[in-house]
């Protein structure tokens, strides 16, 4: 009997329990979520039980989830949220369950320990350094020039600062004094500011096999979300950049330990002017924002569903296990209005625009992170250049 503990962020609308039940009618599901869950009130199958925590975040919630797991004794623990990676891995390690253990999961969450993942995969990275006092910050600035100061455990490009000189450092510590406390707590790191294009690859893994890897490029670096809307487009298949990005993803998969249990990754790379790539960051989850919808539109495959089935041990129901690396049906890209509100309406959009949405409100939009948007849209086109042109036209 397969018993799957699902950790689902309240903001998630993914029908995980339905996917699992469709794959195996005998599977038992215990879904843990929190207040205000988007799927609250959804009709569930007879083998699905829902536990709603008083609060989903925090140490008390983690302790409660662990207690639930110890009592219910699942065979698998699954999630597709950055914030649940370590929580789920801790339960696996505690109960001796298959899947990603805590010692590996932390390398997908801590950007310093993450460098070990890239080293094992043979992937070069930009220069970086740990910083624990202001002199470390200034020394790194002198050694590598302009750099990015960012949280070791950050998500969504939150708390990222680009510093080009000592004056920038002192100005930041004056306007945001909490940053100094974070430096002293070893909670931040610095990384060389790379002159190149930021790529992202969203891939489904089956141990060392890459079942699908989709490389895309951001039109602007995601940490600039407050001043530039976040947009990305699929790379032209067969292009040098596409080939390099897929090769880096395969190297990463081969560098993971056997039986690693990582079913999906969101890998960010820096494409240098000479065509080589540097590894930036990697997460053990699908990309956020509208990436999931964009890739489903392009390939006809729900990568989120695929990753849940693999993580739950139901690989026989996986569309990608049966037919790995399917060709795209159409190239696609998307735009998130993070720096302002959309100036277009659904009715005014052309036929190549899909999935448009706009948040309520008419005041200025102030994004807190790179997926905090006032609206979004998916575009399709015959090649990368057409996608860029169409995003520019709707943006």
């Amino acid at each position: 009997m397969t018993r799957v503990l699902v950790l689902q962020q309240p903001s998630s609308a993914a029908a995980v329990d339905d996917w699992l039940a469709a794959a195996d009618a005998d599977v038992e599901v215990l879904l843990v979520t929190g207040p205000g869950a988007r799927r609250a009130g959804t009709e569930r199958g007879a083998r699905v039980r829902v536990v709603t925590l008083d609060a989903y975040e925090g140490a008390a919630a983690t302790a409660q989830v662990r207690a639930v797991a110890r009592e219910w004794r699942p065979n698998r623990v699954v999630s597709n949220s950055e914030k649940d990676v370590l929580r789920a891995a801790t339960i696996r390690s505690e109960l001796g369950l298959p899947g990603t253990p805590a010692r590996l999961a932390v390398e997908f969450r801590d950007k310093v320990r993450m460098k070990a993942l890239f080293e094992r995969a043979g992937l070069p990275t930009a220069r970086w350094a740990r910083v624990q006092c202001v002199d470390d910050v200034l020394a790194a600035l002198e050694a590598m020039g302009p750099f990015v100061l960012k949280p070791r455990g950050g998500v969504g490009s939150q708390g990222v600062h680009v510093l080009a000189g000592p004056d920038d450092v002192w100005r930041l510590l004056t306007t945001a004094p909490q940053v100094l406390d974070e430096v002293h707590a070893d909670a931040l790191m610095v990384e060389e500011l790379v002159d190149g294009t930021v790529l992202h690859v969203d891939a489904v893994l089956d141990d060392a096999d890459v079942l699908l890897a989709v490389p895309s490029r951001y039109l602007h670096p995601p940490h600039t979300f407050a001043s530039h809307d976040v947009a990305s487009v699929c790379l032209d298949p067969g292009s040098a950049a596409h080939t390099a990005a897929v090769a880096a993803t395969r190297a990463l998969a081969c560098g993971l330990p056997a039986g690693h249990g990582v079913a999906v990754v969101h890998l960010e790379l820096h494409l240098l002017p000479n065509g080589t790539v540097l590894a930036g960051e990697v997460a053990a989850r699908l990309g956020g924002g509208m990436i999931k919808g964009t890739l489903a539109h392009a390939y006809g495959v729900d990568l989120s569903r695929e990753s849940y089935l693999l993580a739950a041990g139901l690989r026989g129901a996986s569309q990608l296990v049966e037919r790995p690396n399917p060709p795209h049906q159409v190239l696609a890209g998307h735009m998130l209005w993070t720096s302002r509100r959309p100036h277009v309406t659904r009715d005014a959009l052309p036929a190549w625009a899909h999935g448009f949405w706009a948040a309520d409100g008419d005041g200025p939009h102030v994004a807190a992170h790179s997926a905090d948007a006032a609206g979004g849209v998916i575009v399709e086109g015959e090649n990368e250049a057409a996608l860029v042109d169409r995003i520019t036209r709707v943006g």
Side-chain angles (χ1 to χ4, degrees):
M1 175 70 69
T2 300
R3 311 186 88 196
V4 183
L5 175 62
V6 178
L7 306 184
Q8 185 164 40
Q9 292 279 330
S11 60
S12 171
V16 184
D17 47 314
D18 291 341
W19 297 337
L20 299 178
D24 181 353
D26 294 326
V27 70
E28 292 186 6
V29 176
L30 178 59
L31 189 148
V32 178
T33 187
R38 289 182 62 184
R39 298 189 67 229
T42 301
E43 184 176 346
R44 313 281 184 172
R47 293 181 175 272
V48 179
R49 173 186 161 201
V50 178
V51 172
T52 302
L53 305 177
D54 293 333
Y56 194 77
E57 307 293 342
T62 298
Q64 189 175 353
V65 173
R66 288 179 54 221
V68 168
R70 287 194 300 270
E71 178 184 354
W72 195 64
R73 291 287 166 177
N75 307 117
R76 299 275 181 157
V77 182
V78 300
S79 178
N80 191 22
S81 165
E82 185 95 17
K83 294 181 179 180
D84 281 324
V85 167
L86 276 173
R87 180 184 281 177
T90 298
I91 296 171
R92 295 189 197 104
S93 291
E94 181 174 10
L95 301 183
L97 301 178
T100 308
R103 65 179 175 275
L104 179 60
V106 72
E107 293 184 337
F108 282 91
R109 287 293 294 119
D110 183 336
K111 291 176 175 52
V112 168
R113 297 185 64 167
M114 191 178 290
K115 303 302 179 183
L117 283 175
F118 297 139
E119 183 177 356
R120 290 197 299 270
L123 295 174
T125 66
R127 291 181 294 172
W128 63 277
R130 293 175 65 171
V131 289
Q132 295 175 290
C133 68
V134 70
D135 284 345
D136 291 344
V137 176
L138 294 171
L141 190 61
E142 183 175 353
M144 65 181 69
F147 62 58
V148 176
L149 178 71
K150 58 186 178 180
R152 290 175 57 168
V155 296
S157 297
Q158 291 176 289
V160 174
H161 305 279
V162 177
L163 305 176
D167 289 346
D168 291 341
V169 174
W170 297 117
R171 188 179 303 111
L172 174 64
L173 298 184
T174 300
T175 58
Q178 75 279 3
V179 170
L180 188 57
D181 289 339
E182 293 168 352
V183 169
H184 292 162
D186 198 17
L188 304 179
M189 66 170 294
V190 299
E191 190 170 76
E192 179 183 13
L193 185 64
V194 177
D195 179 20
T197 301
V198 182
L199 308 180
H200 64 87
V201 187
D202 292 271
V204 176
L205 311 182
D206 184 19
D207 207 36
D209 295 329
V210 178
L211 301 182
L212 178 63
V214 185
S216 306
R217 70 174 173 95
Y218 289 109
L219 302 195
H220 300 283
H223 70 263
T224 65
F225 63 84
S227 57
H228 295 84
D229 297 318
V230 175
S232 79
V233 297
C234 289
L235 298 181
D236 286 329
S239 66
H242 186 283
T243 301
V246 171
T249 308
R250 296 190 185 282
L252 177 70
C254 289
L256 295 173
H260 54 74
V262 178
V264 64
V265 294
H266 175 74
L267 172 64
E268 293 192 350
L269 303 164
H270 299 284
L271 177 65
L272 303 183
N274 64 6
T276 60
V277 295
L278 298 178
E281 298 178 6
V282 63
R285 47 89 180 164
L286 192 61
M290 295 188 73
I291 290 176
K292 171 185 170 181
T294 301
L295 301 187
H297 188 82
Y299 284 83
V301 178
D302 187 331
L303 271 64
S304 182
R305 173 186 176 276
E306 293 293 304
S307 67
Y308 273 111
L309 293 178
L310 290 166
L314 302 174
R315 64 188 307 276
S318 165
Q319 180 179 344
L320 290 175
V321 167
E322 180 179 351
R323 186 180 176 227
N325 298 303
H328 65 274
Q329 299 175 353
V330 62
L331 288 184
H334 72 271
M335 177 172 175
L336 289 173
W337 280 275
T338 56
S339 69
R340 57 203 166 118
R341 293 191 178 277
H343 68 278
V344 295
T345 61
R346 184 188 303 273
D347 293 341
L349 290 171
W352 42 256
H354 306 270
F356 174 81
W357 64 275
D360 294 335
D362 54 10
H365 176 71
V366 181
H369 51 78
S370 59
D372 182 12
V377 68
I378 295 171
V379 303
E380 62 179 49
E382 61 274 16
N383 54 42
E384 184 181 338
L387 294 175
V388 173
D389 175 68
R390 288 176 174 181
I391 284 177
T392 302
R393 287 161 64 183
V394 298

